[in-house]
PDB file of all heavy atoms in Angstrom:
ATOM      1  N   VAL A   1     -16.899  45.616  38.274  1.00 98.00           N
ATOM      2  CA  VAL A   1     -18.253  45.122  38.538  1.00 98.00           C
ATOM      3  C   VAL A   1     -18.887  44.619  37.239  1.00 98.00           C
ATOM      4  O   VAL A   1     -19.600  43.615  37.228  1.00 98.00           O
ATOM      5  CB  VAL A   1     -19.122  46.209  39.197  1.00 98.00           C
ATOM      6  CG1 VAL A   1     -20.533  45.691  39.457  1.00 98.00           C
ATOM      7  CG2 VAL A   1     -18.500  46.674  40.508  1.00 98.00           C
ATOM      8  N   THR A   2     -18.600  45.297  36.130  1.00 98.00           N
ATOM      9  CA  THR A   2     -19.074  44.835  34.830  1.00 98.00           C
ATOM     10  C   THR A   2     -18.482  43.478  34.493  1.00 98.00           C
ATOM     11  O   THR A   2     -19.187  42.564  34.032  1.00 98.00           O
ATOM     12  CB  THR A   2     -18.705  45.859  33.742  1.00 98.00           C
ATOM     13  OG1 THR A   2     -19.253  47.139  34.083  1.00 98.00           O
ATOM     14  CG2 THR A   2     -19.229  45.437  32.387  1.00 98.00           C
ATOM     15  N   ALA A   3     -17.181  43.310  34.723  1.00 98.00           N
ATOM     16  CA  ALA A   3     -16.520  42.028  34.461  1.00 98.00           C
ATOM     17  C   ALA A   3     -17.057  40.933  35.378  1.00 98.00           C
ATOM     18  O   ALA A   3     -17.198  39.771  34.963  1.00 98.00           O
ATOM     19  CB  ALA A   3     -15.011  42.177  34.650  1.00 98.00           C
ATOM     20  N   LEU A   4     -17.371  41.291  36.618  1.00 98.00           N
ATOM     21  CA  LEU A   4     -17.953  40.328  37.554  1.00 98.00           C
ATOM     22  C   LEU A   4     -19.295  39.832  37.038  1.00 98.00           C
ATOM     23  O   LEU A   4     -19.613  38.631  37.130  1.00 98.00           O
ATOM     24  CB  LEU A   4     -18.117  40.987  38.922  1.00 98.00           C
ATOM     25  CG  LEU A   4     -18.621  40.097  40.059  1.00 98.00           C
ATOM     26  CD1 LEU A   4     -17.561  39.079  40.458  1.00 98.00           C
ATOM     27  CD2 LEU A   4     -19.015  40.940  41.274  1.00 98.00           C
ATOM     28  N   ASP A   5     -20.086  40.732  36.494  1.00 98.00           N
ATOM     29  CA  ASP A   5     -21.379  40.368  35.905  1.00 98.00           C
ATOM     30  C   ASP A   5     -21.186  39.389  34.749  1.00 98.00           C
ATOM     31  O   ASP A   5     -21.830  38.329  34.684  1.00 98.00           O
ATOM     32  CB  ASP A   5     -22.080  41.639  35.430  1.00 98.00           C
ATOM     33  CG  ASP A   5     -23.399  41.377  34.720  1.00 98.00           C
ATOM     34  OD1 ASP A   5     -24.072  40.385  35.050  1.00 98.00           O
ATOM     35  OD2 ASP A   5     -23.759  42.169  33.835  1.00 98.00           O
ATOM     36  N   VAL A   6     -20.291  39.726  33.828  1.00 98.00           N
ATOM     37  CA  VAL A   6     -20.049  38.884  32.656  1.00 98.00           C
ATOM     38  C   VAL A   6     -19.537  37.503  33.066  1.00 98.00           C
ATOM     39  O   VAL A   6     -20.019  36.468  32.581  1.00 98.00           O
ATOM     40  CB  VAL A   6     -19.053  39.567  31.706  1.00 98.00           C
ATOM     41  CG1 VAL A   6     -18.669  38.633  30.561  1.00 98.00           C
ATOM     42  CG2 VAL A   6     -19.621  40.869  31.158  1.00 98.00           C
ATOM     43  N   ALA A   7     -18.567  37.466  33.966  1.00 98.00           N
ATOM     44  CA  ALA A   7     -17.987  36.196  34.404  1.00 98.00           C
ATOM     45  C   ALA A   7     -19.012  35.343  35.141  1.00 98.00           C
ATOM     46  O   ALA A   7     -19.058  34.115  34.963  1.00 98.00           O
ATOM     47  CB  ALA A   7     -16.780  36.461  35.298  1.00 98.00           C
ATOM     48  N   SER A   8     -19.824  35.977  35.965  1.00 98.00           N
ATOM     49  CA  SER A   8     -20.837  35.247  36.739  1.00 98.00           C
ATOM     50  C   SER A   8     -21.864  34.596  35.820  1.00 98.00           C
ATOM     51  O   SER A   8     -22.264  33.437  36.032  1.00 98.00           O
ATOM     52  CB  SER A   8     -21.526  36.188  37.730  1.00 98.00           C
ATOM     53  OG  SER A   8     -20.599  36.746  38.632  1.00 98.00           O
ATOM     54  N   LYS A   9     -22.274  35.315  34.797  1.00 98.00           N
ATOM     55  CA  LYS A   9     -23.252  34.777  33.856  1.00 98.00           C
ATOM     56  C   LYS A   9     -22.638  33.694  32.969  1.00 98.00           C
ATOM     57  O   LYS A   9     -23.326  32.745  32.559  1.00 98.00           O
ATOM     58  CB  LYS A   9     -23.848  35.908  33.030  1.00 98.00           C
ATOM     59  CG  LYS A   9     -24.779  36.796  33.857  1.00 98.00           C
ATOM     60  CD  LYS A   9     -25.217  38.044  33.120  1.00 98.00           C
ATOM     61  CE  LYS A   9     -26.159  38.872  33.998  1.00 98.00           C
ATOM     62  NZ  LYS A   9     -26.472  40.196  33.423  1.00 98.00           N
ATOM     63  N   THR A  10     -21.353  33.818  32.692  1.00 98.00           N
ATOM     64  CA  THR A  10     -20.668  32.779  31.929  1.00 98.00           C
ATOM     65  C   THR A  10     -20.663  31.470  32.699  1.00 98.00           C
ATOM     66  O   THR A  10     -20.962  30.399  32.145  1.00 98.00           O
ATOM     67  CB  THR A  10     -19.227  33.220  31.607  1.00 98.00           C
ATOM     68  OG1 THR A  10     -19.255  34.419  30.819  1.00 98.00           O
ATOM     69  CG2 THR A  10     -18.474  32.136  30.849  1.00 98.00           C
ATOM     70  N   LEU A  11     -20.318  31.550  33.980  1.00 97.00           N
ATOM     71  CA  LEU A  11     -20.309  30.340  34.811  1.00 97.00           C
ATOM     72  C   LEU A  11     -21.703  29.728  34.931  1.00 97.00           C
ATOM     73  O   LEU A  11     -21.855  28.500  34.943  1.00 97.00           O
ATOM     74  CB  LEU A  11     -19.773  30.664  36.207  1.00 97.00           C
ATOM     75  CG  LEU A  11     -18.264  30.699  36.383  1.00 97.00           C
ATOM     76  CD1 LEU A  11     -17.904  31.224  37.767  1.00 97.00           C
ATOM     77  CD2 LEU A  11     -17.653  29.315  36.194  1.00 97.00           C
ATOM     78  N   ALA A  12     -22.701  30.572  35.031  1.00 96.00           N
ATOM     79  CA  ALA A  12     -24.061  30.082  35.241  1.00 96.00           C
ATOM     80  C   ALA A  12     -24.640  29.399  34.010  1.00 96.00           C
ATOM     81  O   ALA A  12     -25.498  28.521  34.129  1.00 96.00           O
ATOM     82  CB  ALA A  12     -24.966  31.234  35.666  1.00 96.00           C
ATOM     83  N   THR A  13     -24.170  29.779  32.833  1.00 96.00           N
ATOM     84  CA  THR A  13     -24.816  29.309  31.602  1.00 96.00           C
ATOM     85  C   THR A  13     -23.987  28.343  30.768  1.00 96.00           C
ATOM     86  O   THR A  13     -24.508  27.771  29.817  1.00 96.00           O
ATOM     87  CB  THR A  13     -25.186  30.513  30.707  1.00 96.00           C
ATOM     88  OG1 THR A  13     -24.001  31.270  30.413  1.00 96.00           O
ATOM     89  CG2 THR A  13     -26.197  31.407  31.412  1.00 96.00           C
ATOM     90  N   ASP A  14     -22.712  28.168  31.107  1.00 97.00           N
ATOM     91  CA  ASP A  14     -21.841  27.316  30.287  1.00 97.00           C
ATOM     92  C   ASP A  14     -21.034  26.397  31.192  1.00 97.00           C
ATOM     93  O   ASP A  14     -20.125  26.834  31.895  1.00 97.00           O
ATOM     94  CB  ASP A  14     -20.905  28.202  29.457  1.00 97.00           C
ATOM     95  CG  ASP A  14     -20.123  27.418  28.411  1.00 97.00           C
ATOM     96  OD1 ASP A  14     -19.940  26.199  28.591  1.00 97.00           O
ATOM     97  OD2 ASP A  14     -19.683  28.035  27.425  1.00 97.00           O
ATOM     98  N   ASP A  15     -21.363  25.105  31.172  1.00 96.00           N
ATOM     99  CA  ASP A  15     -20.726  24.178  32.106  1.00 96.00           C
ATOM    100  C   ASP A  15     -19.302  23.788  31.702  1.00 96.00           C
ATOM    101  O   ASP A  15     -18.660  22.994  32.384  1.00 96.00           O
ATOM    102  CB  ASP A  15     -21.576  22.921  32.310  1.00 96.00           C
ATOM    103  CG  ASP A  15     -21.776  22.113  31.029  1.00 96.00           C
ATOM    104  OD1 ASP A  15     -21.131  22.426  30.009  1.00 96.00           O
ATOM    105  OD2 ASP A  15     -22.598  21.168  31.055  1.00 96.00           O
ATOM    106  N   SER A  16     -18.795  24.356  30.615  1.00 97.00           N
ATOM    107  CA  SER A  16     -17.382  24.139  30.286  1.00 97.00           C
ATOM    108  C   SER A  16     -16.471  25.056  31.098  1.00 97.00           C
ATOM    109  O   SER A  16     -15.252  24.903  31.067  1.00 97.00           O
ATOM    110  CB  SER A  16     -17.139  24.353  28.787  1.00 97.00           C
ATOM    111  OG  SER A  16     -17.320  25.711  28.423  1.00 97.00           O
ATOM    112  N   TYR A  17     -17.071  26.011  31.817  1.00 98.00           N
ATOM    113  CA  TYR A  17     -16.312  26.909  32.695  1.00 98.00           C
ATOM    114  C   TYR A  17     -16.541  26.512  34.147  1.00 98.00           C
ATOM    115  O   TYR A  17     -17.686  26.362  34.579  1.00 98.00           O
ATOM    116  CB  TYR A  17     -16.744  28.362  32.499  1.00 98.00           C
ATOM    117  CG  TYR A  17     -16.384  28.941  31.154  1.00 98.00           C
ATOM    118  CD1 TYR A  17     -17.259  28.834  30.076  1.00 98.00           C
ATOM    119  CD2 TYR A  17     -15.174  29.589  30.970  1.00 98.00           C
ATOM    120  CE1 TYR A  17     -16.928  29.364  28.836  1.00 98.00           C
ATOM    121  CE2 TYR A  17     -14.834  30.126  29.726  1.00 98.00           C
ATOM    122  CZ  TYR A  17     -15.717  30.003  28.673  1.00 98.00           C
ATOM    123  OH  TYR A  17     -15.376  30.526  27.453  1.00 98.00           O
ATOM    124  N   GLN A  18     -15.449  26.365  34.903  1.00 98.00           N
ATOM    125  CA  GLN A  18     -15.523  26.011  36.322  1.00 98.00           C
ATOM    126  C   GLN A  18     -14.856  27.041  37.227  1.00 98.00           C
ATOM    127  O   GLN A  18     -15.299  27.264  38.342  1.00 98.00           O
ATOM    128  CB  GLN A  18     -14.873  24.634  36.553  1.00 98.00           C
ATOM    129  CG  GLN A  18     -15.564  23.490  35.844  1.00 98.00           C
ATOM    130  CD  GLN A  18     -16.981  23.257  36.341  1.00 98.00           C
ATOM    131  OE1 GLN A  18     -17.282  23.433  37.519  1.00 98.00           O
ATOM    132  NE2 GLN A  18     -17.874  22.854  35.431  1.00 98.00           N
ATOM    133  N   ARG A  19     -13.778  27.650  36.738  1.00 98.00           N
ATOM    134  CA  ARG A  19     -13.024  28.621  37.535  1.00 98.00           C
ATOM    135  C   ARG A  19     -12.681  29.828  36.662  1.00 98.00           C
ATOM    136  O   ARG A  19     -12.094  29.681  35.596  1.00 98.00           O
ATOM    137  CB  ARG A  19     -11.724  28.007  38.073  1.00 98.00           C
ATOM    138  CG  ARG A  19     -11.917  26.811  39.010  1.00 98.00           C
ATOM    139  CD  ARG A  19     -12.405  27.273  40.384  1.00 98.00           C
ATOM    140  NE  ARG A  19     -12.472  26.174  41.335  1.00 98.00           N
ATOM    141  CZ  ARG A  19     -13.524  25.385  41.506  1.00 98.00           C
ATOM    142  NH1 ARG A  19     -14.616  25.583  40.773  1.00 98.00           N
ATOM    143  NH2 ARG A  19     -13.514  24.417  42.402  1.00 98.00           N
ATOM    144  N   ILE A  20     -13.033  31.011  37.141  1.00 98.00           N
ATOM    145  CA  ILE A  20     -12.743  32.244  36.409  1.00 98.00           C
ATOM    146  C   ILE A  20     -12.078  33.245  37.345  1.00 98.00           C
ATOM    147  O   ILE A  20     -12.531  33.450  38.477  1.00 98.00           O
ATOM    148  CB  ILE A  20     -14.017  32.867  35.810  1.00 98.00           C
ATOM    149  CG1 ILE A  20     -14.661  31.905  34.799  1.00 98.00           C
ATOM    150  CG2 ILE A  20     -13.702  34.202  35.130  1.00 98.00           C
ATOM    151  CD1 ILE A  20     -15.945  32.443  34.171  1.00 98.00           C
ATOM    152  N   LEU A  21     -11.010  33.850  36.865  1.00 99.00           N
ATOM    153  CA  LEU A  21     -10.315  34.911  37.596  1.00 99.00           C
ATOM    154  C   LEU A  21     -10.789  36.266  37.071  1.00 99.00           C
ATOM    155  O   LEU A  21     -10.758  36.510  35.860  1.00 99.00           O
ATOM    156  CB  LEU A  21      -8.809  34.784  37.399  1.00 99.00           C
ATOM    157  CG  LEU A  21      -7.929  35.882  38.001  1.00 99.00           C
ATOM    158  CD1 LEU A  21      -7.942  35.819  39.522  1.00 99.00           C
ATOM    159  CD2 LEU A  21      -6.490  35.772  37.473  1.00 99.00           C
ATOM    160  N   VAL A  22     -11.247  37.132  37.994  1.00 99.00           N
ATOM    161  CA  VAL A  22     -11.692  38.480  37.622  1.00 99.00           C
ATOM    162  C   VAL A  22     -10.846  39.490  38.387  1.00 99.00           C
ATOM    163  O   VAL A  22     -10.900  39.557  39.615  1.00 99.00           O
ATOM    164  CB  VAL A  22     -13.185  38.690  37.942  1.00 99.00           C
ATOM    165  CG1 VAL A  22     -13.646  40.053  37.414  1.00 99.00           C
ATOM    166  CG2 VAL A  22     -14.037  37.577  37.338  1.00 99.00           C
ATOM    167  N   VAL A  23     -10.067  40.271  37.639  1.00 99.00           N
ATOM    168  CA  VAL A  23      -9.127  41.216  38.244  1.00 99.00           C
ATOM    169  C   VAL A  23      -9.477  42.640  37.831  1.00 99.00           C
ATOM    170  O   VAL A  23      -9.792  42.905  36.666  1.00 99.00           O
ATOM    171  CB  VAL A  23      -7.675  40.922  37.803  1.00 99.00           C
ATOM    172  CG1 VAL A  23      -6.695  41.812  38.577  1.00 99.00           C
ATOM    173  CG2 VAL A  23      -7.319  39.462  37.985  1.00 99.00           C
ATOM    174  N   GLY A  24      -9.408  43.537  38.782  1.00 98.00           N
ATOM    175  CA  GLY A  24      -9.463  44.972  38.494  1.00 98.00           C
ATOM    176  C   GLY A  24      -8.086  45.540  38.774  1.00 98.00           C
ATOM    177  O   GLY A  24      -7.550  45.343  39.870  1.00 98.00           O
ATOM    178  N   ALA A  25      -7.479  46.199  37.794  1.00 98.00           N
ATOM    179  CA  ALA A  25      -6.111  46.709  37.964  1.00 98.00           C
ATOM    180  C   ALA A  25      -6.030  48.146  37.468  1.00 98.00           C
ATOM    181  O   ALA A  25      -6.645  48.494  36.452  1.00 98.00           O
ATOM    182  CB  ALA A  25      -5.120  45.829  37.211  1.00 98.00           C
ATOM    183  N   TYR A  26      -5.243  48.946  38.158  1.00 98.00           N
ATOM    184  CA  TYR A  26      -5.235  50.387  37.899  1.00 98.00           C
ATOM    185  C   TYR A  26      -3.835  50.942  38.076  1.00 98.00           C
ATOM    186  O   TYR A  26      -3.250  50.843  39.159  1.00 98.00           O
ATOM    187  CB  TYR A  26      -6.174  51.058  38.896  1.00 98.00           C
ATOM    188  CG  TYR A  26      -6.813  52.351  38.442  1.00 98.00           C
ATOM    189  CD1 TYR A  26      -7.610  52.406  37.315  1.00 98.00           C
ATOM    190  CD2 TYR A  26      -6.656  53.516  39.189  1.00 98.00           C
ATOM    191  CE1 TYR A  26      -8.248  53.581  36.934  1.00 98.00           C
ATOM    192  CE2 TYR A  26      -7.286  54.697  38.825  1.00 98.00           C
ATOM    193  CZ  TYR A  26      -8.084  54.727  37.698  1.00 98.00           C
ATOM    194  OH  TYR A  26      -8.722  55.896  37.325  1.00 98.00           O
ATOM    195  N   GLY A  27      -3.316  51.531  36.997  1.00 98.00           N
ATOM    196  CA  GLY A  27      -2.021  52.194  37.049  1.00 98.00           C
ATOM    197  C   GLY A  27      -2.133  53.635  36.592  1.00 98.00           C
ATOM    198  O   GLY A  27      -1.328  54.104  35.780  1.00 98.00           O
ATOM    199  N   MET A  28      -3.124  54.340  37.096  1.00 98.00           N
ATOM    200  CA  MET A  28      -3.452  55.669  36.591  1.00 98.00           C
ATOM    201  C   MET A  28      -2.390  56.725  36.899  1.00 98.00           C
ATOM    202  O   MET A  28      -2.338  57.765  36.214  1.00 98.00           O
ATOM    203  CB  MET A  28      -4.809  56.123  37.136  1.00 98.00           C
ATOM    204  CG  MET A  28      -5.363  57.394  36.484  1.00 98.00           C
ATOM    205  SD  MET A  28      -5.536  57.283  34.682  1.00 98.00           S
ATOM    206  CE  MET A  28      -7.127  56.440  34.545  1.00 98.00           C
ATOM    207  N   THR A  29      -1.519  56.487  37.872  1.00 97.00           N
ATOM    208  CA  THR A  29      -0.511  57.523  38.141  1.00 97.00           C
ATOM    209  C   THR A  29       0.445  57.691  36.969  1.00 97.00           C
ATOM    210  O   THR A  29       1.112  58.717  36.860  1.00 97.00           O
ATOM    211  CB  THR A  29       0.297  57.224  39.421  1.00 97.00           C
ATOM    212  OG1 THR A  29       1.045  56.014  39.256  1.00 97.00           O
ATOM    213  CG2 THR A  29      -0.616  57.113  40.638  1.00 97.00           C
ATOM    214  N   ARG A  30       0.512  56.706  36.074  1.00 97.00           N
ATOM    215  CA  ARG A  30       1.318  56.855  34.854  1.00 97.00           C
ATOM    216  C   ARG A  30       0.753  57.931  33.934  1.00 97.00           C
ATOM    217  O   ARG A  30       1.436  58.405  33.032  1.00 97.00           O
ATOM    218  CB  ARG A  30       1.393  55.521  34.111  1.00 97.00           C
ATOM    219  CG  ARG A  30       2.269  54.476  34.799  1.00 97.00           C
ATOM    220  CD  ARG A  30       3.749  54.840  34.680  1.00 97.00           C
ATOM    221  NE  ARG A  30       4.551  54.057  35.603  1.00 97.00           N
ATOM    222  CZ  ARG A  30       4.981  52.811  35.358  1.00 97.00           C
ATOM    223  NH1 ARG A  30       4.653  52.220  34.236  1.00 97.00           N
ATOM    224  NH2 ARG A  30       5.723  52.190  36.252  1.00 97.00           N
ATOM    225  N   TYR A  31      -0.510  58.271  34.142  1.00 96.00           N
ATOM    226  CA  TYR A  31      -1.182  59.241  33.280  1.00 96.00           C
ATOM    227  C   TYR A  31      -1.506  60.545  34.014  1.00 96.00           C
ATOM    228  O   TYR A  31      -2.279  61.364  33.515  1.00 96.00           O
ATOM    229  CB  TYR A  31      -2.475  58.634  32.723  1.00 96.00           C
ATOM    230  CG  TYR A  31      -2.229  57.412  31.884  1.00 96.00           C
ATOM    231  CD1 TYR A  31      -2.320  56.139  32.443  1.00 96.00           C
ATOM    232  CD2 TYR A  31      -1.885  57.523  30.541  1.00 96.00           C
ATOM    233  CE1 TYR A  31      -2.072  55.007  31.682  1.00 96.00           C
ATOM    234  CE2 TYR A  31      -1.641  56.391  29.768  1.00 96.00           C
ATOM    235  CZ  TYR A  31      -1.745  55.139  30.345  1.00 96.00           C
ATOM    236  OH  TYR A  31      -1.498  54.021  29.595  1.00 96.00           O
ATOM    237  N   VAL A  32      -0.923  60.713  35.179  1.00 96.00           N
ATOM    238  CA  VAL A  32      -1.196  61.905  35.993  1.00 96.00           C
ATOM    239  C   VAL A  32      -0.170  62.988  35.699  1.00 96.00           C
ATOM    240  O   VAL A  32       1.033  62.726  35.610  1.00 96.00           O
ATOM    241  CB  VAL A  32      -1.178  61.540  37.497  1.00 96.00           C
ATOM    242  CG1 VAL A  32      -1.035  62.790  38.360  1.00 96.00           C
ATOM    243  CG2 VAL A  32      -2.449  60.794  37.871  1.00 96.00           C
ATOM    244  N   ASN A  33      -0.661  64.189  35.540  1.00 93.00           N
ATOM    245  CA  ASN A  33       0.187  65.371  35.509  1.00 93.00           C
ATOM    246  C   ASN A  33       0.341  65.827  36.954  1.00 93.00           C
ATOM    247  O   ASN A  33      -0.632  66.280  37.576  1.00 93.00           O
ATOM    248  CB  ASN A  33      -0.450  66.469  34.648  1.00 93.00           C
ATOM    249  CG  ASN A  33       0.323  67.772  34.678  1.00 93.00           C
ATOM    250  OD1 ASN A  33       1.304  67.930  35.415  1.00 93.00           O
ATOM    251  ND2 ASN A  33      -0.104  68.733  33.872  1.00 93.00           N
ATOM    252  N   TRP A  34       1.533  65.710  37.509  1.00 93.00           N
ATOM    253  CA  TRP A  34       1.740  65.972  38.932  1.00 93.00           C
ATOM    254  C   TRP A  34       1.709  67.449  39.295  1.00 93.00           C
ATOM    255  O   TRP A  34       1.906  67.812  40.451  1.00 93.00           O
ATOM    256  CB  TRP A  34       3.043  65.328  39.400  1.00 93.00           C
ATOM    257  CG  TRP A  34       2.913  63.830  39.433  1.00 93.00           C
ATOM    258  CD1 TRP A  34       3.311  62.945  38.478  1.00 93.00           C
ATOM    259  CD2 TRP A  34       2.271  63.056  40.454  1.00 93.00           C
ATOM    260  NE1 TRP A  34       2.964  61.660  38.843  1.00 93.00           N
ATOM    261  CE2 TRP A  34       2.337  61.699  40.045  1.00 93.00           C
ATOM    262  CE3 TRP A  34       1.659  63.369  41.672  1.00 93.00           C
ATOM    263  CZ2 TRP A  34       1.808  60.674  40.821  1.00 93.00           C
ATOM    264  CZ3 TRP A  34       1.135  62.343  42.436  1.00 93.00           C
ATOM    265  CH2 TRP A  34       1.208  61.017  42.012  1.00 93.00           C
ATOM    266  N   LYS A  35       1.418  68.282  38.317  1.00 91.00           N
ATOM    267  CA  LYS A  35       1.176  69.696  38.597  1.00 91.00           C
ATOM    268  C   LYS A  35      -0.310  70.049  38.454  1.00 91.00           C
ATOM    269  O   LYS A  35      -0.692  71.200  38.627  1.00 91.00           O
ATOM    270  CB  LYS A  35       2.005  70.583  37.654  1.00 91.00           C
ATOM    271  CG  LYS A  35       3.505  70.448  37.874  1.00 91.00           C
ATOM    272  CD  LYS A  35       3.918  70.849  39.287  1.00 91.00           C
ATOM    273  CE  LYS A  35       5.421  70.759  39.487  1.00 91.00           C
ATOM    274  NZ  LYS A  35       5.821  71.115  40.896  1.00 91.00           N
ATOM    275  N   ASP A  36      -1.127  69.039  38.161  1.00 92.00           N
ATOM    276  CA  ASP A  36      -2.566  69.236  38.019  1.00 92.00           C
ATOM    277  C   ASP A  36      -3.253  68.829  39.318  1.00 92.00           C
ATOM    278  O   ASP A  36      -3.417  67.651  39.602  1.00 92.00           O
ATOM    279  CB  ASP A  36      -3.092  68.409  36.848  1.00 92.00           C
ATOM    280  CG  ASP A  36      -4.614  68.511  36.684  1.00 92.00           C
ATOM    281  OD1 ASP A  36      -5.228  69.381  37.329  1.00 92.00           O
ATOM    282  OD2 ASP A  36      -5.176  67.701  35.923  1.00 92.00           O
ATOM    283  N   LYS A  37      -3.660  69.819  40.083  1.00 93.00           N
ATOM    284  CA  LYS A  37      -4.244  69.565  41.408  1.00 93.00           C
ATOM    285  C   LYS A  37      -5.503  68.712  41.336  1.00 93.00           C
ATOM    286  O   LYS A  37      -5.811  67.960  42.266  1.00 93.00           O
ATOM    287  CB  LYS A  37      -4.532  70.905  42.090  1.00 93.00           C
ATOM    288  CG  LYS A  37      -5.075  70.779  43.503  1.00 93.00           C
ATOM    289  CD  LYS A  37      -5.087  72.115  44.210  1.00 93.00           C
ATOM    290  CE  LYS A  37      -5.997  73.117  43.532  1.00 93.00           C
ATOM    291  NZ  LYS A  37      -6.111  74.386  44.314  1.00 93.00           N
ATOM    292  N   LYS A  38      -6.240  68.810  40.241  1.00 92.00           N
ATOM    293  CA  LYS A  38      -7.496  68.075  40.128  1.00 92.00           C
ATOM    294  C   LYS A  38      -7.287  66.561  40.042  1.00 92.00           C
ATOM    295  O   LYS A  38      -8.184  65.792  40.402  1.00 92.00           O
ATOM    296  CB  LYS A  38      -8.273  68.543  38.901  1.00 92.00           C
ATOM    297  CG  LYS A  38      -8.790  69.964  38.988  1.00 92.00           C
ATOM    298  CD  LYS A  38      -9.547  70.326  37.722  1.00 92.00           C
ATOM    299  CE  LYS A  38     -10.069  71.748  37.770  1.00 92.00           C
ATOM    300  NZ  LYS A  38     -10.775  72.103  36.503  1.00 92.00           N
ATOM    301  N   THR A  39      -6.133  66.134  39.527  1.00 94.00           N
ATOM    302  CA  THR A  39      -5.923  64.700  39.313  1.00 94.00           C
ATOM    303  C   THR A  39      -4.870  64.088  40.234  1.00 94.00           C
ATOM    304  O   THR A  39      -5.064  62.993  40.762  1.00 94.00           O
ATOM    305  CB  THR A  39      -5.532  64.425  37.852  1.00 94.00           C
ATOM    306  OG1 THR A  39      -4.349  65.174  37.524  1.00 94.00           O
ATOM    307  CG2 THR A  39      -6.648  64.813  36.909  1.00 94.00           C
ATOM    308  N   CYS A  40      -3.753  64.786  40.455  1.00 95.00           N
ATOM    309  CA  CYS A  40      -2.669  64.166  41.218  1.00 95.00           C
ATOM    310  C   CYS A  40      -3.021  63.968  42.687  1.00 95.00           C
ATOM    311  O   CYS A  40      -2.399  63.172  43.389  1.00 95.00           O
ATOM    312  CB  CYS A  40      -1.379  64.961  41.075  1.00 95.00           C
ATOM    313  SG  CYS A  40      -1.322  66.502  42.005  1.00 95.00           S
ATOM    314  N   THR A  41      -4.029  64.669  43.168  1.00 97.00           N
ATOM    315  CA  THR A  41      -4.459  64.514  44.559  1.00 97.00           C
ATOM    316  C   THR A  41      -5.339  63.284  44.759  1.00 97.00           C
ATOM    317  O   THR A  41      -5.509  62.816  45.886  1.00 97.00           O
ATOM    318  CB  THR A  41      -5.249  65.755  45.001  1.00 97.00           C
ATOM    319  OG1 THR A  41      -6.307  65.994  44.057  1.00 97.00           O
ATOM    320  CG2 THR A  41      -4.360  66.979  45.080  1.00 97.00           C
ATOM    321  N   LEU A  42      -5.911  62.765  43.679  1.00 97.00           N
ATOM    322  CA  LEU A  42      -6.903  61.692  43.781  1.00 97.00           C
ATOM    323  C   LEU A  42      -6.365  60.322  43.400  1.00 97.00           C
ATOM    324  O   LEU A  42      -6.510  59.353  44.139  1.00 97.00           O
ATOM    325  CB  LEU A  42      -8.111  62.004  42.884  1.00 97.00           C
ATOM    326  CG  LEU A  42      -8.887  63.281  43.164  1.00 97.00           C
ATOM    327  CD1 LEU A  42      -9.973  63.460  42.112  1.00 97.00           C
ATOM    328  CD2 LEU A  42      -9.497  63.243  44.558  1.00 97.00           C
TER     329      LEU A  42
END
C-alpha cells in the first residue's frame, strides 16, 4: 500500500511516467522455524 501511494503520486506529478508496475511479494516461509507454533501456523 505504501508503494501504491508512491507510484500513484509519481504518475500524477511527472509526465515522463506512463506505466508503473507495483508488486507485493512474500517468501516468509524461508524464515519460519517450523517448530515455532507462533509463526509456522500463520
Side-chain angles (χ1 to χ4, degrees):
V1 179
T2 303
L4 184 70
D5 176 31
V6 173
S8 300
K9 289 171 179 172
T10 299
L11 277 172
T13 58
D14 189 336
D15 62 9
S16 67
Y17 292 90
Q18 297 296 325
R19 298 285 186 272
I20 298 179
L21 175 69
V22 186
V23 187
Y26 208 59
M28 190 57 83
T29 64
R30 288 288 165 83
Y31 299 95
V32 163
N33 175 355
W34 289 97
K35 295 299 182 182
D36 177 12
K37 183 169 63 174
K38 293 180 180 178
T39 57
C40 75
T41 53
L42 300 176

